[in-house]
mmCIF file with all atom_site columns, all heavy atoms in Angstrom:
data_model
loop_
_atom_site.group_PDB
_atom_site.id
_atom_site.type_symbol
_atom_site.label_atom_id
_atom_site.label_alt_id
_atom_site.label_comp_id
_atom_site.label_asym_id
_atom_site.label_entity_id
_atom_site.label_seq_id
_atom_site.pdbx_PDB_ins_code
_atom_site.Cartn_x
_atom_site.Cartn_y
_atom_site.Cartn_z
_atom_site.occupancy
_atom_site.B_iso_or_equiv
_atom_site.pdbx_formal_charge
_atom_site.auth_seq_id
_atom_site.auth_comp_id
_atom_site.auth_asym_id
_atom_site.auth_atom_id
_atom_site.pdbx_PDB_model_num
ATOM 1   N N   . ALA A 1 136 ? 313.232 -152.620 160.540 1.00 98.00 ? 136 ALA A N   1
ATOM 2   C CA  . ALA A 1 136 ? 313.517 -152.007 161.844 1.00 98.00 ? 136 ALA A CA  1
ATOM 3   C C   . ALA A 1 136 ? 314.955 -151.485 161.901 1.00 98.00 ? 136 ALA A C   1
ATOM 4   O O   . ALA A 1 136 ? 315.216 -150.401 162.427 1.00 98.00 ? 136 ALA A O   1
ATOM 5   C CB  . ALA A 1 136 ? 313.268 -153.016 162.961 1.00 98.00 ? 136 ALA A CB  1
ATOM 6   N N   . ARG A 1 137 ? 315.881 -152.239 161.339 1.00 97.00 ? 137 ARG A N   1
ATOM 7   C CA  . ARG A 1 137 ? 317.288 -151.794 161.319 1.00 97.00 ? 137 ARG A CA  1
ATOM 8   C C   . ARG A 1 137 ? 317.445 -150.543 160.460 1.00 97.00 ? 137 ARG A C   1
ATOM 9   O O   . ARG A 1 137 ? 318.223 -149.648 160.789 1.00 97.00 ? 137 ARG A O   1
ATOM 10  C CB  . ARG A 1 137 ? 318.192 -152.911 160.783 1.00 97.00 ? 137 ARG A CB  1
ATOM 11  C CG  . ARG A 1 137 ? 318.455 -154.001 161.813 1.00 97.00 ? 137 ARG A CG  1
ATOM 12  C CD  . ARG A 1 137 ? 319.407 -155.041 161.243 1.00 97.00 ? 137 ARG A CD  1
ATOM 13  N NE  . ARG A 1 137 ? 319.632 -156.131 162.159 1.00 97.00 ? 137 ARG A NE  1
ATOM 14  C CZ  . ARG A 1 137 ? 320.500 -156.113 163.165 1.00 97.00 ? 137 ARG A CZ  1
ATOM 15  N NH1 . ARG A 1 137 ? 321.251 -155.044 163.369 1.00 97.00 ? 137 ARG A NH1 1
ATOM 16  N NH2 . ARG A 1 137 ? 320.642 -157.143 163.965 1.00 97.00 ? 137 ARG A NH2 1
ATOM 17  N N   . THR A 1 138 ? 316.719 -150.498 159.344 1.00 97.00 ? 138 THR A N   1
ATOM 18  C CA  . THR A 1 138 ? 316.771 -149.317 158.481 1.00 97.00 ? 138 THR A CA  1
ATOM 19  C C   . THR A 1 138 ? 316.225 -148.098 159.226 1.00 97.00 ? 138 THR A C   1
ATOM 20  O O   . THR A 1 138 ? 316.811 -147.015 159.174 1.00 97.00 ? 138 THR A O   1
ATOM 21  C CB  . THR A 1 138 ? 315.928 -149.554 157.196 1.00 97.00 ? 138 THR A CB  1
ATOM 22  O OG1 . THR A 1 138 ? 316.364 -150.767 156.601 1.00 97.00 ? 138 THR A OG1 1
ATOM 23  C CG2 . THR A 1 138 ? 316.089 -148.436 156.210 1.00 97.00 ? 138 THR A CG2 1
ATOM 24  N N   . VAL A 1 139 ? 315.103 -148.294 159.917 1.00 97.00 ? 139 VAL A N   1
ATOM 25  C CA  . VAL A 1 139 ? 314.495 -147.198 160.680 1.00 97.00 ? 139 VAL A CA  1
ATOM 26  C C   . VAL A 1 139 ? 315.464 -146.705 161.755 1.00 97.00 ? 139 VAL A C   1
ATOM 27  O O   . VAL A 1 139 ? 315.706 -145.499 161.896 1.00 97.00 ? 139 VAL A O   1
ATOM 28  C CB  . VAL A 1 139 ? 313.159 -147.654 161.315 1.00 97.00 ? 139 VAL A CB  1
ATOM 29  C CG1 . VAL A 1 139 ? 312.656 -146.652 162.340 1.00 97.00 ? 139 VAL A CG1 1
ATOM 30  C CG2 . VAL A 1 139 ? 312.108 -147.875 160.227 1.00 97.00 ? 139 VAL A CG2 1
ATOM 31  N N   . ALA A 1 140 ? 316.044 -147.635 162.512 1.00 98.00 ? 140 ALA A N   1
ATOM 32  C CA  . ALA A 1 140 ? 316.977 -147.264 163.581 1.00 98.00 ? 140 ALA A CA  1
ATOM 33  C C   . ALA A 1 140 ? 318.167 -146.493 162.999 1.00 98.00 ? 140 ALA A C   1
ATOM 34  O O   . ALA A 1 140 ? 318.587 -145.466 163.546 1.00 98.00 ? 140 ALA A O   1
ATOM 35  C CB  . ALA A 1 140 ? 317.451 -148.509 164.322 1.00 98.00 ? 140 ALA A CB  1
ATOM 36  N N   . GLY A 1 141 ? 318.694 -146.970 161.861 1.00 97.00 ? 141 GLY A N   1
ATOM 37  C CA  . GLY A 1 141 ? 319.829 -146.307 161.216 1.00 97.00 ? 141 GLY A CA  1
ATOM 38  C C   . GLY A 1 141 ? 319.470 -144.894 160.772 1.00 97.00 ? 141 GLY A C   1
ATOM 39  O O   . GLY A 1 141 ? 320.234 -143.953 160.981 1.00 97.00 ? 141 GLY A O   1
ATOM 40  N N   . THR A 1 142 ? 318.284 -144.745 160.204 1.00 96.00 ? 142 THR A N   1
ATOM 41  C CA  . THR A 1 142 ? 317.857 -143.429 159.707 1.00 96.00 ? 142 THR A CA  1
ATOM 42  C C   . THR A 1 142 ? 317.661 -142.450 160.862 1.00 96.00 ? 142 THR A C   1
ATOM 43  O O   . THR A 1 142 ? 318.010 -141.278 160.761 1.00 96.00 ? 142 THR A O   1
ATOM 44  C CB  . THR A 1 142 ? 316.521 -143.559 158.930 1.00 96.00 ? 142 THR A CB  1
ATOM 45  O OG1 . THR A 1 142 ? 316.674 -144.580 157.948 1.00 96.00 ? 142 THR A OG1 1
ATOM 46  C CG2 . THR A 1 142 ? 316.136 -142.268 158.250 1.00 96.00 ? 142 THR A CG2 1
ATOM 47  N N   . LEU A 1 143 ? 317.086 -142.933 161.960 1.00 96.00 ? 143 LEU A N   1
ATOM 48  C CA  . LEU A 1 143 ? 316.754 -142.031 163.069 1.00 96.00 ? 143 LEU A CA  1
ATOM 49  C C   . LEU A 1 143 ? 317.891 -141.894 164.083 1.00 96.00 ? 143 LEU A C   1
ATOM 50  O O   . LEU A 1 143 ? 317.786 -141.146 165.045 1.00 96.00 ? 143 LEU A O   1
ATOM 51  C CB  . LEU A 1 143 ? 315.490 -142.523 163.793 1.00 96.00 ? 143 LEU A CB  1
ATOM 52  C CG  . LEU A 1 143 ? 314.226 -142.652 162.924 1.00 96.00 ? 143 LEU A CG  1
ATOM 53  C CD1 . LEU A 1 143 ? 313.067 -143.167 163.747 1.00 96.00 ? 143 LEU A CD1 1
ATOM 54  C CD2 . LEU A 1 143 ? 313.866 -141.305 162.304 1.00 96.00 ? 143 LEU A CD2 1
ATOM 55  N N   . GLY A 1 144 ? 318.966 -142.650 163.888 1.00 96.00 ? 144 GLY A N   1
ATOM 56  C CA  . GLY A 1 144 ? 320.077 -142.589 164.829 1.00 96.00 ? 144 GLY A CA  1
ATOM 57  C C   . GLY A 1 144 ? 319.740 -143.203 166.182 1.00 96.00 ? 144 GLY A C   1
ATOM 58  O O   . GLY A 1 144 ? 320.237 -142.786 167.221 1.00 96.00 ? 144 GLY A O   1
ATOM 59  N N   . THR A 1 145 ? 318.850 -144.203 166.180 1.00 96.00 ? 145 THR A N   1
ATOM 60  C CA  . THR A 1 145 ? 318.476 -144.905 167.413 1.00 96.00 ? 145 THR A CA  1
ATOM 61  C C   . THR A 1 145 ? 319.118 -146.292 167.369 1.00 96.00 ? 145 THR A C   1
ATOM 62  O O   . THR A 1 145 ? 319.538 -146.744 166.318 1.00 96.00 ? 145 THR A O   1
ATOM 63  C CB  . THR A 1 145 ? 316.939 -145.100 167.484 1.00 96.00 ? 145 THR A CB  1
ATOM 64  O OG1 . THR A 1 145 ? 316.325 -143.980 166.888 1.00 96.00 ? 145 THR A OG1 1
ATOM 65  C CG2 . THR A 1 145 ? 316.454 -145.236 168.894 1.00 96.00 ? 145 THR A CG2 1
ATOM 66  N N   . ARG A 1 146 ? 319.151 -146.973 168.487 1.00 97.00 ? 146 ARG A N   1
ATOM 67  C CA  . ARG A 1 146 ? 319.746 -148.314 168.502 1.00 97.00 ? 146 ARG A CA  1
ATOM 68  C C   . ARG A 1 146 ? 318.726 -149.368 168.111 1.00 97.00 ? 146 ARG A C   1
ATOM 69  O O   . ARG A 1 146 ? 317.582 -149.328 168.559 1.00 97.00 ? 146 ARG A O   1
ATOM 70  C CB  . ARG A 1 146 ? 320.261 -148.652 169.901 1.00 97.00 ? 146 ARG A CB  1
ATOM 71  C CG  . ARG A 1 146 ? 321.548 -147.951 170.248 1.00 97.00 ? 146 ARG A CG  1
ATOM 72  C CD  . ARG A 1 146 ? 321.991 -148.368 171.627 1.00 97.00 ? 146 ARG A CD  1
ATOM 73  N NE  . ARG A 1 146 ? 321.002 -147.991 172.639 1.00 97.00 ? 146 ARG A NE  1
ATOM 74  C CZ  . ARG A 1 146 ? 321.008 -148.447 173.887 1.00 97.00 ? 146 ARG A CZ  1
ATOM 75  N NH1 . ARG A 1 146 ? 321.916 -149.312 174.277 1.00 97.00 ? 146 ARG A NH1 1
ATOM 76  N NH2 . ARG A 1 146 ? 320.094 -148.051 174.748 1.00 97.00 ? 146 ARG A NH2 1
ATOM 77  N N   . TYR A 1 147 ? 319.155 -150.330 167.304 1.00 98.00 ? 147 TYR A N   1
ATOM 78  C CA  . TYR A 1 147 ? 318.333 -151.518 167.060 1.00 98.00 ? 147 TYR A CA  1
ATOM 79  C C   . TYR A 1 147 ? 318.823 -152.609 168.005 1.00 98.00 ? 147 TYR A C   1
ATOM 80  O O   . TYR A 1 147 ? 320.026 -152.836 168.120 1.00 98.00 ? 147 TYR A O   1
ATOM 81  C CB  . TYR A 1 147 ? 318.458 -152.025 165.610 1.00 98.00 ? 147 TYR A CB  1
ATOM 82  C CG  . TYR A 1 147 ? 317.738 -153.348 165.443 1.00 98.00 ? 147 TYR A CG  1
ATOM 83  C CD1 . TYR A 1 147 ? 316.379 -153.377 165.154 1.00 98.00 ? 147 TYR A CD1 1
ATOM 84  C CD2 . TYR A 1 147 ? 318.395 -154.561 165.678 1.00 98.00 ? 147 TYR A CD2 1
ATOM 85  C CE1 . TYR A 1 147 ? 315.700 -154.580 165.084 1.00 98.00 ? 147 TYR A CE1 1
ATOM 86  C CE2 . TYR A 1 147 ? 317.717 -155.768 165.607 1.00 98.00 ? 147 TYR A CE2 1
ATOM 87  C CZ  . TYR A 1 147 ? 316.378 -155.772 165.310 1.00 98.00 ? 147 TYR A CZ  1
ATOM 88  O OH  . TYR A 1 147 ? 315.692 -156.970 165.252 1.00 98.00 ? 147 TYR A OH  1
ATOM 89  N N   . ARG A 1 148 ? 317.903 -153.276 168.668 1.00 97.00 ? 148 ARG A N   1
ATOM 90  C CA  . ARG A 1 148 ? 318.288 -154.409 169.511 1.00 97.00 ? 148 ARG A CA  1
ATOM 91  C C   . ARG A 1 148 ? 317.269 -155.523 169.345 1.00 97.00 ? 148 ARG A C   1
ATOM 92  O O   . ARG A 1 148 ? 316.071 -155.266 169.180 1.00 97.00 ? 148 ARG A O   1
ATOM 93  C CB  . ARG A 1 148 ? 318.328 -154.021 170.993 1.00 97.00 ? 148 ARG A CB  1
ATOM 94  C CG  . ARG A 1 148 ? 319.502 -153.166 171.378 1.00 97.00 ? 148 ARG A CG  1
ATOM 95  C CD  . ARG A 1 148 ? 320.808 -153.972 171.386 1.00 97.00 ? 148 ARG A CD  1
ATOM 96  N NE  . ARG A 1 148 ? 321.937 -153.178 171.833 1.00 97.00 ? 148 ARG A NE  1
ATOM 97  C CZ  . ARG A 1 148 ? 322.618 -152.323 171.079 1.00 97.00 ? 148 ARG A CZ  1
ATOM 98  N NH1 . ARG A 1 148 ? 322.270 -152.127 169.833 1.00 97.00 ? 148 ARG A NH1 1
ATOM 99  N NH2 . ARG A 1 148 ? 323.624 -151.633 171.579 1.00 97.00 ? 148 ARG A NH2 1
ATOM 100 N N   . ARG A 1 149 ? 317.756 -156.754 169.420 1.00 96.00 ? 149 ARG A N   1
ATOM 101 C CA  . ARG A 1 149 ? 316.850 -157.894 169.421 1.00 96.00 ? 149 ARG A CA  1
ATOM 102 C C   . ARG A 1 149 ? 316.367 -158.043 170.856 1.00 96.00 ? 149 ARG A C   1
ATOM 103 O O   . ARG A 1 149 ? 317.176 -158.331 171.745 1.00 96.00 ? 149 ARG A O   1
ATOM 104 C CB  . ARG A 1 149 ? 317.643 -159.133 168.969 1.00 96.00 ? 149 ARG A CB  1
ATOM 105 C CG  . ARG A 1 149 ? 316.784 -160.321 168.703 1.00 96.00 ? 149 ARG A CG  1
ATOM 106 C CD  . ARG A 1 149 ? 317.622 -161.448 168.110 1.00 96.00 ? 149 ARG A CD  1
ATOM 107 N NE  . ARG A 1 149 ? 316.987 -162.699 168.453 1.00 96.00 ? 149 ARG A NE  1
ATOM 108 C CZ  . ARG A 1 149 ? 317.412 -163.524 169.400 1.00 96.00 ? 149 ARG A CZ  1
ATOM 109 N NH1 . ARG A 1 149 ? 318.505 -163.246 170.074 1.00 96.00 ? 149 ARG A NH1 1
ATOM 110 N NH2 . ARG A 1 149 ? 316.761 -164.639 169.652 1.00 96.00 ? 149 ARG A NH2 1
ATOM 111 N N   . LEU A 1 150 ? 315.089 -157.816 171.107 1.00 97.00 ? 150 LEU A N   1
ATOM 112 C CA  . LEU A 1 150 ? 314.592 -157.808 172.482 1.00 97.00 ? 150 LEU A CA  1
ATOM 113 C C   . LEU A 1 150 ? 313.655 -158.968 172.790 1.00 97.00 ? 150 LEU A C   1
ATOM 114 O O   . LEU A 1 150 ? 313.375 -159.252 173.940 1.00 97.00 ? 150 LEU A O   1
ATOM 115 C CB  . LEU A 1 150 ? 313.858 -156.482 172.761 1.00 97.00 ? 150 LEU A CB  1
ATOM 116 C CG  . LEU A 1 150 ? 314.697 -155.206 172.641 1.00 97.00 ? 150 LEU A CG  1
ATOM 117 C CD1 . LEU A 1 150 ? 313.815 -153.980 172.848 1.00 97.00 ? 150 LEU A CD1 1
ATOM 118 C CD2 . LEU A 1 150 ? 315.853 -155.197 173.644 1.00 97.00 ? 150 LEU A CD2 1
ATOM 119 N N   . LEU A 1 151 ? 313.160 -159.625 171.738 1.00 96.00 ? 151 LEU A N   1
ATOM 120 C CA  . LEU A 1 151 ? 312.207 -160.717 171.945 1.00 96.00 ? 151 LEU A CA  1
ATOM 121 C C   . LEU A 1 151 ? 312.651 -161.963 171.189 1.00 96.00 ? 151 LEU A C   1
ATOM 122 O O   . LEU A 1 151 ? 313.315 -161.865 170.159 1.00 96.00 ? 151 LEU A O   1
ATOM 123 C CB  . LEU A 1 151 ? 310.831 -160.312 171.420 1.00 96.00 ? 151 LEU A CB  1
ATOM 124 C CG  . LEU A 1 151 ? 310.082 -159.202 172.153 1.00 96.00 ? 151 LEU A CG  1
ATOM 125 C CD1 . LEU A 1 151 ? 308.881 -158.760 171.336 1.00 96.00 ? 151 LEU A CD1 1
ATOM 126 C CD2 . LEU A 1 151 ? 309.635 -159.663 173.537 1.00 96.00 ? 151 LEU A CD2 1
ATOM 127 N N   . MET A 1 152 ? 312.259 -163.087 171.730 1.00 94.00 ? 152 MET A N   1
ATOM 128 C CA  . MET A 1 152 ? 312.463 -164.337 170.986 1.00 94.00 ? 152 MET A CA  1
ATOM 129 C C   . MET A 1 152 ? 311.177 -165.143 171.014 1.00 94.00 ? 152 MET A C   1
ATOM 130 O O   . MET A 1 152 ? 310.367 -165.008 171.933 1.00 94.00 ? 152 MET A O   1
ATOM 131 C CB  . MET A 1 152 ? 313.606 -165.152 171.566 1.00 94.00 ? 152 MET A CB  1
ATOM 132 C CG  . MET A 1 152 ? 313.436 -165.473 173.041 1.00 94.00 ? 152 MET A CG  1
ATOM 133 S SD  . MET A 1 152 ? 314.719 -166.554 173.649 1.00 94.00 ? 152 MET A SD  1
ATOM 134 C CE  . MET A 1 152 ? 313.999 -168.134 173.256 1.00 94.00 ? 152 MET A CE  1
ATOM 135 N N   . GLU A 1 153 ? 310.998 -165.957 169.984 1.00 89.00 ? 153 GLU A N   1
ATOM 136 C CA  . GLU A 1 153 ? 309.832 -166.822 169.953 1.00 89.00 ? 153 GLU A CA  1
ATOM 137 C C   . GLU A 1 153 ? 310.172 -168.084 170.739 1.00 89.00 ? 153 GLU A C   1
ATOM 138 O O   . GLU A 1 153 ? 311.246 -168.642 170.564 1.00 89.00 ? 153 GLU A O   1
ATOM 139 C CB  . GLU A 1 153 ? 309.467 -167.169 168.510 1.00 89.00 ? 153 GLU A CB  1
ATOM 140 C CG  . GLU A 1 153 ? 308.086 -167.718 168.394 1.00 89.00 ? 153 GLU A CG  1
ATOM 141 C CD  . GLU A 1 153 ? 307.593 -167.796 166.940 1.00 89.00 ? 153 GLU A CD  1
ATOM 142 O OE1 . GLU A 1 153 ? 308.358 -167.450 166.036 1.00 89.00 ? 153 GLU A OE1 1
ATOM 143 O OE2 . GLU A 1 153 ? 306.462 -168.223 166.751 1.00 89.00 ? 153 GLU A OE2 1
ATOM 144 N N   . ARG A 1 154 ? 309.259 -168.460 171.632 1.00 85.00 ? 154 ARG A N   1
ATOM 145 C CA  . ARG A 1 154 ? 309.531 -169.673 172.411 1.00 85.00 ? 154 ARG A CA  1
ATOM 146 C C   . ARG A 1 154 ? 309.509 -170.893 171.515 1.00 85.00 ? 154 ARG A C   1
ATOM 147 O O   . ARG A 1 154 ? 308.772 -170.941 170.530 1.00 85.00 ? 154 ARG A O   1
ATOM 148 C CB  . ARG A 1 154 ? 308.463 -169.851 173.495 1.00 85.00 ? 154 ARG A CB  1
ATOM 149 C CG  . ARG A 1 154 ? 308.534 -168.830 174.582 1.00 85.00 ? 154 ARG A CG  1
ATOM 150 C CD  . ARG A 1 154 ? 307.460 -169.161 175.605 1.00 85.00 ? 154 ARG A CD  1
ATOM 151 N NE  . ARG A 1 154 ? 307.184 -168.040 176.455 1.00 85.00 ? 154 ARG A NE  1
ATOM 152 C CZ  . ARG A 1 154 ? 307.882 -167.764 177.565 1.00 85.00 ? 154 ARG A CZ  1
ATOM 153 N NH1 . ARG A 1 154 ? 308.891 -168.530 177.923 1.00 85.00 ? 154 ARG A NH1 1
ATOM 154 N NH2 . ARG A 1 154 ? 307.557 -166.727 178.294 1.00 85.00 ? 154 ARG A NH2 1
ATOM 155 N N   . ARG A 1 155 ? 310.255 -171.861 171.887 1.00 74.00 ? 155 ARG A N   1
ATOM 156 C CA  . ARG A 1 155 ? 310.315 -173.103 171.114 1.00 74.00 ? 155 ARG A CA  1
ATOM 157 C C   . ARG A 1 155 ? 308.966 -173.803 171.079 1.00 74.00 ? 155 ARG A C   1
ATOM 158 O O   . ARG A 1 155 ? 308.245 -173.803 172.069 1.00 74.00 ? 155 ARG A O   1
ATOM 159 C CB  . ARG A 1 155 ? 311.312 -174.071 171.763 1.00 74.00 ? 155 ARG A CB  1
ATOM 160 C CG  . ARG A 1 155 ? 312.637 -174.021 171.103 1.00 74.00 ? 155 ARG A CG  1
ATOM 161 C CD  . ARG A 1 155 ? 313.627 -174.869 171.866 1.00 74.00 ? 155 ARG A CD  1
ATOM 162 N NE  . ARG A 1 155 ? 314.976 -174.501 171.454 1.00 74.00 ? 155 ARG A NE  1
ATOM 163 C CZ  . ARG A 1 155 ? 315.541 -174.953 170.349 1.00 74.00 ? 155 ARG A CZ  1
ATOM 164 N NH1 . ARG A 1 155 ? 314.909 -175.770 169.569 1.00 74.00 ? 155 ARG A NH1 1
ATOM 165 N NH2 . ARG A 1 155 ? 316.761 -174.580 170.035 1.00 74.00 ? 155 ARG A NH2 1
ATOM 166 N N   . GLY A 1 156 ? 308.641 -174.381 169.944 1.00 67.00 ? 156 GLY A N   1
ATOM 167 C CA  . GLY A 1 156 ? 307.423 -175.182 169.841 1.00 67.00 ? 156 GLY A CA  1
ATOM 168 C C   . GLY A 1 156 ? 306.156 -174.362 169.694 1.00 67.00 ? 156 GLY A C   1
ATOM 169 O O   . GLY A 1 156 ? 305.059 -174.901 169.777 1.00 67.00 ? 156 GLY A O   1
#
Side-chain angles (χ1 to χ4, degrees):
R137 283 183 183 278
T138 307
V139 168
T142 308
L143 302 179
T145 326
R146 284 181 298 167
Y147 173 86
R148 286 288 183 279
R149 190 173 153 256
L150 299 176
L151 292 169
M152 56 175 273
E153 196 168 2
R154 291 182 197 274
R155 262 174 197 279

